[in-house]
Amino acid sequence: MENFEFRLEPRDEQPVPRGFTGDIGPFGPVLVTRPRSESGHTPSRQVLLSGPSFPAAEFGGGAGILPSLNGGWLKIEDTPVEMDLRGRGVRKGSRWLELRFGERHYKYTSFGYMRQARLTRDDVTVTLDTPDWKKGGGGPVRYGKVEGEADATDLAIALVLEEVDKYALTTTGALMSIPSRVLFGRGNRDEGSLE
């Protein structure tokens, strides 16, 4: 469906909302959850997306106690999505995530928690943001905008990533990764130069 806007509300879960719900224009309702782990157990580090018009999406793993892009994985209908962190230095906007799913190639950027995130593919862009006037009070309401002929798979990827720690894409995350890159090498991810 082409060009529409939507709104995501935090789930009413105490003490901290985990996930969100929304009515995604012509695609209808969606539920994104981050299951809570049992007390004393390893954190689940998992995000699940479900909705009648959406493919099942699951994100899991990563570094730290939250599901994160740094070392995490993504599946759509049990099919893995290839993900690579990329960068051209540590400046704002110089880091992104490349995703490949079948014949589709995506670029995902984020400026951090409660800031703009964008998923693009060909002529499709899904943008999520929290306007400055909405920050600070209550739970974080996110506003989405779809440009181009997005389908349920495009939206599922963008929405499930909303509950994932995207610190690795931020300037601070880039700066914090420098010591480990110097000490341990780059591994199999292209982290860009230190410029």
Side-chain angles (χ1 to χ4, degrees), residues 172-192:
T172 304
L175 291 170
M176 297 302 287
S177 71
I178 291 171
S180 62
R181 287 184 6 232
V182 170
L183 292 172
F184 305 112
R186 290 185 180 179
N188 63 353
R189 296 200 176 192
D190 175 11
E191 295 291 344

Side-chain angles (χ1 to χ4, degrees), residues 103-122:
E103 299 297 315
R104 299 175 185 217
H105 185 262
Y106 296 93
K107 180 179 179 181
Y108 181 78
T109 57
S110 173
F111 297 113
Y113 178 69
M114 297 277 292
R115 296 178 184 254
Q116 188 181 88
R118 179 175 287 167
L119 179 75
T120 58
R121 151 183 91 79
D122 302 325

Side-chain angles (χ1 to χ4, degrees), residues 48-51 54-58 75-79 156:
L48 305 171
L49 178 141
S50 61
F54 290 92
E58 177 183 8
K75 291 182 182 179
I76 304 292
E77 293 289 342
D78 291 324
T79 302

Side-chain angles (χ1 to χ4, degrees), residues 40-54:
H41 290 81
T42 304
S44 71
R45 289 187 293 165
Q46 184 180 35
V47 179
L48 305 171
L49 178 141
S50 61
S53 299
F54 290 92

Side-chain angles (χ1 to χ4, degrees), residues 69-111:
L69 294 181
N70 191 7
W73 51 265
L74 174 61
K75 291 182 182 179
I76 304 292
E77 293 289 342
D78 291 324
T79 302
V81 176
E82 294 179 46
M83 298 191 311
D84 289 308
L85 285 172
R86 301 287 183 179
R88 288 193 195 108
V90 295
R91 293 174 306 281
K92 182 177 180 180
S94 65
R95 299 169 65 78
W96 67 93
L97 180 69
E98 288 184 0
L99 303 105
R100 285 174 296 287
F101 183 65
E103 299 297 315
R104 299 175 185 217
H105 185 262
Y106 296 93
K107 180 179 179 181
Y108 181 78
T109 57
S110 173
F111 297 113

